Structure formats: structure tokens, C-alpha cells
């Protein structure tokens, strides 16, 4: 039996929907095709253990998994959950396979069936809404991150059984709701390091105020312990606040890099990056491209 599920692959800060075709037929062996990397190829071992641990059966015949479009490289372990649902559907262990095409399903499976967080949930959610999917199923730790996208139902799950039960009865899970605009504007001025904490240092404080107001570069030179990093950390608190579009782009970058904390919402403050003082010029340029609205602390 042939069953199709939908996953998503992240490239840069954008996502591409991936159709996962699972076919169970006469023969022997498990095969994954469609340009998968080693993490994707190893997923069948995790899936088999997870399926058996939770009382389901892994097919003992030929199993072929195709990830289309086949000319785009697939990487990472986030496809585990969508492949597992395809395997269960193709082996006729649940009947509601026609619903699978309406949802993007992403998550890394543990051997006991629990679902681990993934990277890039926000760009995946944005792409899911753009392509008109009914909903998105992601690990519970990524649910709030994905729910920042409006007009899309996002369901957070923590176990394989929850996903199977959801397709049998969609009322078993409640969509996650996040009031993105309210959270964004409420958190814009909640700084861990505030410029008003600095006592004295009037000359350098005045120089940083001018740099922040005019959008100029600044370089701080001095011996260790003089307060260069302390001042640089507090510079974002006197910069103009992020616009909603800038916050979305910044959050997408952190999402893809796996730097968002659990249950995170939209990043409302300009991020501060502190690479080591021995960093090369090429790495500095790479940081500037990746974090265009951040403050780089290179003042050592």
C-alpha cells in the first residue's frame, strides 16, 4: 500500500515542503531514496524501535521511502515522525491515511516513541501557511515557536501515540495559540542588561549614545576589566526597537540555528553576539550576514 505524508526541509532561513511516499510491497529490505543524508538513512532504525516499543508492527516485507523532490538533499533527523506515520499508514495500522496530506508532520523520534525538538520550526510554519496546509504537527517544545504564524493550526506533541490518536480523532489535541503582537510589544523593553546600570564612564557612555543614535560603528580599546564588554552588552537597550519584520527575520535565523529556548516566542530585542577576540575577519563577515540586526562584541 502506498501512503503519502508531508514534511519540510530548511535551506538557509526558508523551508521547502517535502512529499514522503511510503510503499509496502512484496519483497525484502528497507530503502530510503530521494537524496537523504546519513541522519535520514538512520531514521529507519529509530522508527522501527519506536514502533515496536509502542505495540505496533514494523513491516517484514519490502519498505521503500521516497522523499520528493528527489534532487534536493534531505538532512537531519526531523523527518522521523512523518516517515513513521507513513509506515504505520502503509502497513494499514490505522485507516485515516487520507488526512495525512493536510498536515506537515515534523519531529525526531526517540526509541521509546517520545518526540524531540527540531530546528527551523518557524520557517516551516511560514511555508505551511503559504502553501495552504490545514495544520502543522511539531514537537511540543517547538509549538509556541511555530504558533507565532497566524492562520495556521499548530499542534504540539510529545509522543508518537498522540499523533496516531490525533488522526483517528482530531479532537484529542488542541491547537496552540500565541498572541504574537502583544508578546512582541510587551517584551521590547525587557532587557537583562540595561544601559542605566553603568555608573560613571561618562565619556564612553556619551560616545556610545552618539553611535547608537546615528547608526555608527564603535570600537572600544582598553585593558581587561576596563568595562568594554559590560558597555557593549548594554548597547542594545539604547538602540531603536526592532520592527515586527526585523523581529521575524531575527527569530527565523535563531530558529534555524537551534538557538531559540524552549517555548520561545518572537525575539523582541536586538540580539547581542560575543565572538572571541581571536576571531578572523572572514568569520566577522559571516556573523554580520547571519545576524544583520545584532550587536557584535569585538571589543577585547
Amino acid at each position: 500500500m502506498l501512503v503519502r505524508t508531508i514534511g519540510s526541509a530548511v535551506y538557509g532561513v526558508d523551508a521547502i515542503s517535502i512529499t514522503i511516499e511510503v510503499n509496502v510491497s512484496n519483497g525484502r529490505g528497507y530503502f530510503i531514496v530521494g537524496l537523504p543524508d546519513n541522519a535520514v538513512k538512520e531514521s529507519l532504525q529509530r522508527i522501527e524501535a519506536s514502533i515496536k516499543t509502542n505495540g505496533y508492527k514494523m513491516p517484514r516485507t519490502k519498505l521503500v521511502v521516497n522523499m520528493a523532490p528527489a534532487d534536493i538533499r534531505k538532512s537531519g533527523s526531523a523527518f522521523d515522525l512523518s516517515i513513521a506515520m507513513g509506515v504505520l499508514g502503509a502497513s494499514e495500522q490505522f485507516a485515516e491515511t487520507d488526512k495525512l496530506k493536510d498536515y506537515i508532520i515534523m519531529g525526531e523520534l526517540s526509541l521509546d516513541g517520545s518526540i524531540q525538538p527540531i530546528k527551523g520550526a518557524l520557517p516551516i510554519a511560514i511555508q505551511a501557511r503559504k502553501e495552504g496546509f490545514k495544520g502543522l504537527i511539531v514537537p511540543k517544545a517547538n509549538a509556541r515557536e511555530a504558533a507565532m504564524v497566524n492562520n495556521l493550526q499548530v499542534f504540539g506533541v510529545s509522543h508518537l501515540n498522540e499523533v496516531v490518536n490525533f488522526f483517528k480523532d482530531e479532537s484529542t489535541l488542541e491547537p496552540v495559540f500565541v498572541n504574537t503582537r502583544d508578546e512582541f510589544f510587551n517584551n521590547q523593553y525587557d532587557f537583562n542588561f540595561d544601559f542605566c546600570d553603568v555608573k560613571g564612564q561618562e565619556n564612553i557612555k556619551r560616545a556610545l549614545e552618539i553611535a547608537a543614535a546615528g547608526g555608527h560603528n564603535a570600537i572600544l580599546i582598553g585593558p581587561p576589566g576596563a568595562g568594554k564588554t559590560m558597555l557593549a552588552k548594554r548597547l542594545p537597550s539604547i538602540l531603536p526597537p526592532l520592527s515586527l519584520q526585523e523581529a521575524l527575520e531575527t527569530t527565523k535565523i535563531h530558529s534555524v540555528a537551534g538557538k531559540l529556548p524552549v517555548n520561545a516566542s518572537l525575539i523582541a530585542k536586538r540580539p547581542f553576539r560575543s565572538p572571541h577576540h581571536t576571531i578572523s575577519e572572514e568569520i566577522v563577515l559571516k556573523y554580520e550576514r547571519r545576524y544583520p540586526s545584532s550587536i557584535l562584541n569585538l571589543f577585547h
Side-chain angles (χ1 to χ4, degrees):
M1 181 178 178
L2 175 64
V3 168
R4 291 182 177 88
T5 62
I6 310 295
S8 190
V10 177
Y11 294 93
V13 294
D14 297 312
I16 299 174
S17 294
I18 303 295
T19 301
I20 298 171
E21 302 173 318
V22 182
N23 186 47
V24 175
S25 59
N26 294 331
R28 295 180 60 186
Y30 300 155
F31 306 94
I32 295 187
V33 296
L35 215 58
D37 71 353
N38 285 335
V40 178
K41 291 177 182 177
E42 292 171 352
S43 66
L44 284 177
Q45 310 304 320
R46 295 189 293 272
I47 291 167
E48 181 175 13
S50 177
I51 285 176
K52 289 182 175 179
T53 300
N54 290 282
Y56 304 106
K57 295 180 180 178
M58 193 70 178
R60 295 294 93 189
T61 55
K62 186 177 181 180
L63 173 67
V64 179
V65 178
N66 178 46
M67 309 179 78
D71 59 342
I72 296 177
R73 186 163 186 81
K74 323 302 185 304
S75 60
S77 55
F79 295 101
D80 290 4
L81 187 56
S82 49
I83 296 174
M85 294 305 298
V87 170
L88 292 176
S91 57
E92 301 181 359
Q93 297 184 64
F94 75 96
E96 296 77 7
T97 55
D98 57 318
K99 298 180 181 179
L100 292 171
K101 67 181 185 299
D102 297 329
Y103 296 87
I104 287 183
I105 307 170
M106 297 296 288
E108 177 186 337
L109 280 173
S110 295
L111 301 187
D112 62 351
S114 58
I115 300 173
Q116 304 302 317
I118 61 172
K119 295 179 181 178
L122 180 57
I124 289 171
I126 292 172
Q127 186 66 21
R129 183 186 65 178
K130 186 184 299 184
E131 296 187 11
F133 285 96
K134 184 177 179 180
L136 171 65
I137 298 174
V138 291
K140 187 166 288 185
N142 300 111
R144 280 181 53 82
E145 172 189 341
M148 287 187 268
V149 178
N150 56 13
N151 300 323
L152 177 72
Q153 288 188 317
V154 176
F155 300 93
V157 292
S158 57
H159 199 276
L160 175 64
N161 287 332
E162 293 181 23
V163 187
V164 176
N165 292 335
F166 172 75
F167 283 105
K168 292 179 179 179
D169 179 6
E170 293 185 0
S171 65
T172 57
L173 290 177
E174 290 292 329
V176 178
F177 174 76
V178 174
N179 193 327
T180 305
R181 288 183 178 272
D182 283 354
E183 289 199 7
F184 171 70
F185 290 114
N186 290 338
N187 293 330
Q188 273 192 311
Y189 302 100
D190 182 20
F191 294 101
N192 294 325
F193 303 100
D194 201 302
F195 204 71
C196 68
D197 297 335
V198 182
K199 307 302 179 186
Q201 304 273 23
E202 297 302 328
N203 289 337
I204 183 58
K205 284 165 65 177
R206 178 61 177 160
L208 289 178
E209 288 166 2
I210 294 170
H216 307 301
N217 297 320
I219 180 168
L220 278 66
I221 301 172
K228 303 183 297 299
T229 300
M230 177 193 68
L231 285 159
K233 279 183 178 179
R234 287 159 174 78
L235 185 58
S237 67
I238 62 171
L239 287 170
L242 288 172
S243 67
L244 199 57
Q245 183 60 36
E246 285 178 321
L248 182 62
E249 291 295 322
T250 303
T251 308
K252 283 174 64 177
I253 293 168
H254 283 73
S255 173
V256 171
K259 299 298 184 182
L260 282 181
V262 176
N263 295 321
S265 58
L266 203 64
I267 292 177
K269 300 178 287 292
R270 295 189 183 274
F272 173 81
R273 310 295 299 173
S274 184
H276 196 263
H277 67 276
T278 60
I279 192 170
S280 67
E281 183 178 350
E282 290 76 11
I283 301 298
V284 171
L285 294 175
K286 181 179 178 182
Y287 263 88
E288 289 177 343
R289 287 194 297 267
R290 176 171 289 185
Y291 301 100
S293 58
S294 67
I295 307 304
L296 293 181
N297 173 29
L298 304 176
F299 313 132
H300 291 273

